[in-house]
Amino acid sequence: MKRRFNITGACNPQKHYMVRLDNLLKKIKEGYIDEGSYFVINKGRQYGKTTMLRALTEYLEADYIVLFLDFQKISAQKFTDEHMFTKAFTDKLLQSLRSVEVEVKHKLQESLEDFKKNYSDAGLDELFECLSCLCEIGPRPIVLIIDEVDSASNNQVFLDFLAQLRGYYLERDDIPIFQSVILAGVYDIKNLKLKLRPDAEHKYNSPWNIAAKFDVDMSFSADQIASMLEEYETDSHTGMDIRAIAGEIYQYTSGYPYLVSAICKILDEELVGKPGFDSYTDVWTREGVIQAVKIILNEKSALFESMRGHIRDNPEMKRMLYAILFQGEPISYNADNEVIDLAYMFGYIVEKNSCVQIANRIFETRLYNFFLSEEELTSVIGNVAKRDKGCFIRDGHLDMDIVLEKFVQSFTDIYSDNDDKFIEDYGRKFFLLFLKPIINGTGNYYIEAQTRDARRTDVIVDYLGEQFVIELKIWHGNEYNERGERQLADYLDYYHKDKGYMISFNFNKNKMRGIHKVEMGNKTLVEAVV
């Protein structure tokens, strides 16, 4: 059976194309398991946690007995009662023994069955005495892995369970207990904000302060993506430039596992036969990746539904993301800031050079689209672009010169009476509101994060194989403007372009609105001043 790219559930190397996890598994084993660490792996949704944990289970089996549980398979009701939870936990332990070799399995199974038989009304105290016994009679150290640990964490039984784990950890030199414990989920249970009674306030309350800091990068590198594509190419013979395509996928995803697999799955299963993609040779190209990204940006998925819900449920996080995206506001990364910590935990932001940055281009564009959609229907300047959409496309090509010319005219007509602060804060948003209906359905855009700050933002537009680089900036005098022109000219070299575009939001009362061209060596810059 031909392997495929998988975006639902855990991946199986026999059925699915996967990146090689050997180095990651080695780091976890040597840096945490062998050291006897108890730790938490909390990552955003669809970050490959379960796939990694299953691979880790197999990787550890030569040296350890691994018990793998999934708390999502225990009903919420059973977390409300200590005795029900103890029974459910014991049942899941028995199920986890299926993958253990027969000789060890029978020995541990017998002990657990005896516990169930003789302690029908057992609680957590008795359960942990049984677990200690298992760890004592096991021929190898036991590692406990619990996935989806945060699925039913808002109750006292769960806190008591963590407290017991902590207590045995602290006394493990004298009392047998697990070699290592891994708790995995989206939320970091070290910092759970719990509400144990309906009339109580939310409070941070977790006894899991023994956890070692998990500092292993689970995102995929361009090299890892390339290794996966090498296996695919061996089977499919597309003739792709593996390194170039891996790099292109990485540029859009920053290695977010679900997004990497989603792009590859679309390339493999959806594009052949569509206009411009007659064969797999046409598909596995830069243009194919761009088309796959476009599909992802427009489709519904659990990941983006979750993102939208988190934004709507957390107004402060929404304001922070808005300020980063539209106002270029520099925000220092501070793990003690609840809003930053929450967005980081969900995987929407990363820390780079001590500042907060959106995690990847796809998330960034999806967030732009989300914020813009809230205003799109009532946007006057967006409606102008929709009305005049036909004049921007000439013989199937996007005429960016006309786009800038019409934007200057429309912006001046609509917003020239607003104060400087209003234009500085929202000028870039208005350009995107103007641009979006023009390219919608055919082209993509993204923001070049490396150049974005409070003064400057570069928008990259892909439209039917053509690429346009547009710098949006706030006017800060002729010297700054000339430096910006040189930067844009240099930036065009990176994109192998001879022509670039610049929009200056100029608050000088004597400014000359309109369009003019500047020649810099072999580069042509089309500058628009509003």
Side-chain angles (χ1 to χ4, degrees):
M1 183 178 69
K2 182 180 181 296
R3 287 189 291 171
R4 60 187 177 85
F5 295 100
N6 180 43
I7 58 173
T8 55
C11 292
N12 181 332
Q14 305 304 315
K15 298 179 179 179
H16 307 127
Y17 292 107
M18 296 173 54
V19 304
R20 293 169 187 162
L21 299 175
D22 306 59
N23 289 337
L24 172 66
L25 301 178
K26 182 180 179 182
K27 285 181 182 179
I28 295 174
K29 179 180 183 296
E30 294 180 354
Y32 295 88
I33 307 298
D34 293 346
E35 295 296 320
S37 298
Y38 284 32
F39 60 101
V40 177
I41 300 177
N42 68 284
K43 290 290 180 183
R45 297 200 180 281
Q46 296 181 290
Y47 211 95
K49 295 186 297 296
T50 301
T51 295
M52 186 277 290
L53 291 173
R54 292 191 182 283
L56 181 64
T57 297
E58 185 175 339
Y59 186 80
L60 295 174
E61 284 176 348
D63 299 313
Y64 299 101
I65 298 167
V66 182
L67 303 179
F68 188 109
L69 283 69
D70 184 347
F71 268 12
Q72 198 167 234
K73 295 179 180 177
I74 299 178
S75 69
Q77 182 184 6
K78 290 176 181 175
F79 280 89
T80 64
D81 179 85
E82 181 178 335
H83 304 292
M84 286 194 294
F85 172 80
T86 297
K87 183 179 183 304
F89 189 88
T90 305
D91 290 339
K92 295 304 175 188
L93 280 178
L94 284 165
Q95 292 176 18
S96 73
L97 290 174
R98 293 172 183 168
S99 60
V100 178
E101 66 267 32
V102 175
E103 312 83 62
V104 175
K105 174 181 177 180
H106 287 327
K107 192 173 184 180
L108 300 182
Q109 192 174 39
E110 183 179 350
S111 180
L112 284 171
E113 292 287 4
D114 183 63
F115 172 70
K116 283 184 64 179
K117 179 179 178 182
N118 295 314
Y119 295 91
S120 58
D121 198 32
L124 290 174
D125 289 347
E126 293 80 10
L127 172 64
F128 272 85
E129 289 174 8
C130 174
L131 295 177
S132 179
C133 178
L134 288 182
C135 294
E136 184 174 24
I137 65 175
R140 299 191 302 280
I142 297 179
V143 175
L144 176 66
I145 301 177
I146 304 178
D147 198 9
E148 302 292 348
V149 73
D150 53 354
S151 59
S153 57
N154 198 27
N155 55 69
Q156 189 62 51
V157 172
F158 179 72
L159 289 181
D160 292 344
F161 172 77
L162 292 182
Q164 289 276 9
L165 274 176
R166 177 181 182 274
Y168 274 82
Y169 170 88
L170 295 175
E171 297 184 24
R172 61 183 178 165
D173 289 341
D174 302 313
I175 302 175
I177 198 59
F178 303 111
Q179 162 74 14
S180 182
V181 175
I182 306 173
L183 306 180
V186 173
Y187 291 87
D188 186 348
I189 64 166
K190 298 192 303 295
N191 301 299
L192 280 176
K193 201 171 186 180
L194 303 174
K195 186 176 182 179
L196 301 178
R197 297 187 307 277
D199 59 341
E201 293 182 2
H202 284 95
K203 294 182 178 180
Y204 289 104
N205 187 5
S206 172
W208 198 244
N209 57 2
I210 57 169
K213 179 183 179 182
F214 183 72
D215 195 22
V216 177
D217 186 3
M218 288 175 56
S219 63
F220 300 157
S221 67
D223 286 341
Q224 286 178 303
I225 298 170
S227 71
M228 176 174 64
L229 295 183
E230 285 172 1
E231 294 186 10
Y232 175 82
E233 183 66 8
T234 299
D235 294 340
S236 302
H237 310 290
T238 69
M240 78 168 88
D241 183 335
I242 291 173
R243 290 288 165 183
I245 297 304
E248 196 71 26
I249 292 171
Y250 183 82
Q251 286 297 316
Y252 280 100
T253 65
S254 296
Y256 197 107
Y258 167 82
L259 296 177
V260 171
S261 295
I263 289 175
C264 292
K265 187 175 180 66
I266 291 170
L267 293 172
D268 182 48
E269 299 179 11
E270 296 186 30
L271 291 191
V272 171
K274 292 189 175 182
F277 302 105
D278 296 332
S279 68
Y280 282 104
T281 301
D282 301 319
V283 165
W284 287 92
T285 59
R286 179 179 177 276
E287 290 71 25
V289 173
I290 290 172
Q291 184 65 20
V293 169
K294 177 184 166 186
I295 291 171
I296 290 171
L297 289 172
N298 288 289
E299 70 181 0
K300 284 190 174 182
S301 72
L303 176 62
F304 295 123
E305 289 291 318
S306 179
M307 173 187 283
R308 187 169 62 182
H310 289 149
I311 291 171
R312 287 178 172 165
D313 292 342
N314 297 275
E316 291 182 0
M317 185 170 72
K318 181 178 181 179
R319 283 192 289 272
M320 178 186 72
L321 295 174
Y322 187 96
I324 294 171
L325 293 170
F326 289 106
Q327 296 163 358
E329 185 173 322
I331 297 177
S332 299
Y333 179 81
N334 184 344
D336 294 327
N337 182 297
E338 292 181 29
V339 178
I340 292 174
D341 188 47
L342 193 65
Y344 183 87
M345 186 171 64
F346 291 143
Y348 304 149
I349 63 170
V350 293
E351 181 270 328
K352 187 171 184 179
N353 299 324
S354 300
C355 289
V356 171
Q357 182 174 299
I358 306 301
N360 56 68
R361 283 183 183 174
I362 291 179
F363 278 5
E364 185 169 60
T365 306
R366 192 84 186 209
L367 287 167
Y368 270 114
N369 290 343
F370 172 79
F371 286 120
L372 292 173
S373 68
E374 295 186 323
E375 302 182 42
E376 200 168 355
L377 294 177
T378 58
S379 168
V380 178
I381 199 166
N383 288 334
V384 171
K386 291 176 187 175
R387 184 193 65 201
D388 297 337
K389 184 174 181 178
C391 75
F392 303 116
I393 311 299
R394 304 287 178 89
D395 299 323
H397 297 275
L398 178 62
D399 191 330
M400 190 57 72
D401 294 57
I402 298 297
V403 172
L404 264 63
E405 182 180 318
K406 289 286 187 180
F407 174 71
V408 170
Q409 178 185 328
S410 301
F411 190 91
T412 301
D413 291 343
I414 299 168
Y415 303 112
S416 59
D417 292 335
N418 285 278
D419 61 33
D420 294 352
K421 179 63 176 172
F422 175 84
I423 295 173
E424 181 173 358
D425 286 348
Y426 300 110
R428 284 172 283 199
K429 179 178 72 175
F430 290 134
F431 176 71
L432 293 177
L433 283 168
F434 187 80
L435 175 70
K436 195 166 180 290
I438 297 172
I439 66 171
N440 198 32
T442 306
N444 295 335
Y445 74 92
Y446 65 87
I447 308 301
E448 181 49 73
Q450 293 180 355
T451 64
R452 182 189 56 218
D453 58 30
R455 293 184 172 188
R456 176 184 175 198
T457 296
D458 285 335
V459 180
I460 314 298
V461 177
D462 289 304
Y463 191 90
L464 294 179
E466 292 185 280
Q467 196 166 59
F468 305 88
V469 180
I470 310 156
E471 180 179 306
L472 311 179
K473 64 186 184 65
I474 306 299
W475 179 270
H476 287 281
N478 288 323
E479 183 179 346
Y480 175 78
N481 189 64
E482 290 172 2
R483 187 164 67 249
E485 291 171 345
R486 292 192 297 271
Q487 288 173 334
L488 178 56
D490 292 340
Y491 199 48
L492 291 174
D493 281 334
Y494 175 80
Y495 281 92
H496 308 292
K497 297 293 176 185
D498 297 326
K499 189 175 185 180
Y501 300 85
M502 180 182 292
I503 300 177
S504 294
F505 296 96
N506 190 333
F507 311 126
N508 190 325
K509 300 303 180 184
N510 298 319
K511 65 188 173 187
M512 293 291 293
R513 292 191 181 97
I515 306 289
H516 66 278
K517 293 184 179 180
V518 175
E519 302 295 333
M520 296 196 69
N522 63 344
K523 308 295 183 188
T524 299
L525 309 183
V526 179
E527 295 192 16
V529 178
V530 294

